[in-house]
Amino acid sequence: YAGMNPRTHFKQSIYIEYPNEIAFFGFARPAFGSIPPATEMQSRLFSLVLNGELELPSKETMRFIASEDQKNWETRFGYDAKRVKGLVDFQLYCDGIAKTIGVFPPLSKLFLEKPHLWWKIMFGPFTMHQYRLVGPYADPKRAEEVYNRQPLGDFLESAITASFLVTAKVLSFLGFERFTPNDF
């Protein structure tokens, strides 16, 4: 019964009643993207918990986070989220776990210090290598090697996306919070 609705679990994986013992993997289903990389992030989270390298929030806090996540996904995906209980936005879901385990890439720092790598992360193919740049079990050299071999997105498409990101950032600075871009 506990695994029937993944939205009741912390990050749709860790069973809140026994957080250091039980987790369910593979029940976060990206609307676009792939289940295995999302499962990789879930397993990284749980392995850090099991190894004692990450302390989870209190059960009350985890329930609150699970409830807020559920509201977010159901608002974002509407009817489909009620029909497919594990439906998530692939990038936002993985980014959320990455922040929890301390592997979210420092985008502002990369923008200033390694703009080519930042550009590849922002406008190239979405891969899990960005979550190996910092944090536990990071391998930044190998991650950068992978990004150096990846193609950039189409220039016009990337320029349009960059324009939207910059416009959204400016609007959010002017007080239009609803336009705040994700983690930029």
Side-chain angles (χ1 to χ4, degrees), residues 41 70 75 89 103 140 145:
M41 294 303 287
Q70 180 172 359
T75 299
D89 178 302
V103 299
E145 287 173 5

Side-chain angles (χ1 to χ4, degrees), residues 94-120:
C94 291
D95 283 353
I97 292 179
K99 290 174 190 169
T100 300
I101 64 177
V103 299
F104 187 76
L107 295 175
S108 298
K109 182 179 177 184
L110 291 173
F111 178 77
L112 297 172
E113 296 176 8
K114 297 182 178 185
H116 187 260
L117 178 60
W118 177 87
W119 190 267
K120 293 253 184 161

Side-chain angles (χ1 to χ4, degrees), residues 91 111 118-126 152-170 179-182 184:
Q91 182 175 354
F111 178 77
W118 177 87
W119 190 267
K120 293 253 184 161
I121 291 171
M122 297 299 289
F123 304 110
F126 182 84
L152 279 175
D154 175 72
F155 179 76
L156 181 59
E157 183 179 313
S158 297
I160 291 169
T161 302
S163 299
F164 278 115
L165 281 171
V166 170
T167 301
K169 192 67 167 181
V170 169
F179 292 102
T180 302
N182 300 327
F184 171 68

